[in-house]
Amino acid sequence: CSKMICNGCDYANKMREFAENLRHKCPFCRDPIPNSEAKAEAKFIQRVEANDPVAIREMGVRQYNDGDHESAFEYFTKAAGLSDVDPCRKTAPTLCQT
């Protein structure tokens, strides 16, 4: 679902799944983990289209890493407008240098 959780919560979820002999699921939404890159990408795009600020930021990172800095800036700006401070804090200095 593209939600980020801390390592401790992820570990606790894995321990719970192991102890109860459960299938591995997303620790945040409890949906099954996609079993292919195509399914994972489709889920990611679904989160971007749903205006999930974290997914939008990650799309900006992908665009930036692919060299499309203009699109990256648009995604970072949109994510920041949706209350995701990470683009402002981490990526704005990098974008200003390009």
Side-chain angles (χ1 to χ4, degrees):
C1 69
S2 79
K3 295 292 185 182
M4 299 184 113
I5 62 167
C6 72
N7 290 337
C9 292
D10 186 43
Y11 179 75
N13 184 60
K14 287 178 183 176
M15 295 303 293
R16 181 187 61 80
E17 290 172 341
F18 179 76
E20 297 176 18
N21 200 26
L22 300 173
R23 183 171 177 234
H24 186 56
K25 294 183 178 181
C26 172
F28 187 80
C29 69
R30 304 281 194 235
D31 281 347
I33 302 297
N35 57 5
S36 72
E37 286 294 319
K39 288 181 181 179
E41 183 66 16
K43 187 125 179 121
F44 173 73
I45 296 300
Q46 180 183 11
R47 296 306 316 145
V48 171
E49 291 171 350
N51 284 330
D52 181 334
V54 174
I56 292 170
R57 173 182 15 105
E58 290 306 312
M59 181 62 87
V61 169
R62 288 182 181 188
Q63 296 299 316
Y64 183 83
N65 290 337
D66 288 344
D68 187 355
H69 298 164
E70 189 173 318
S71 289
F73 184 75
E74 290 174 14
Y75 281 109
F76 292 144
T77 301
K78 185 172 182 178
L82 294 169
S83 301
D84 185 16
V85 297
D86 216 36
C88 300
R89 187 170 52 87
K90 289 184 176 177
T91 58
T94 305
L95 287 172
C96 292
Q97 294 172 5
T98 59

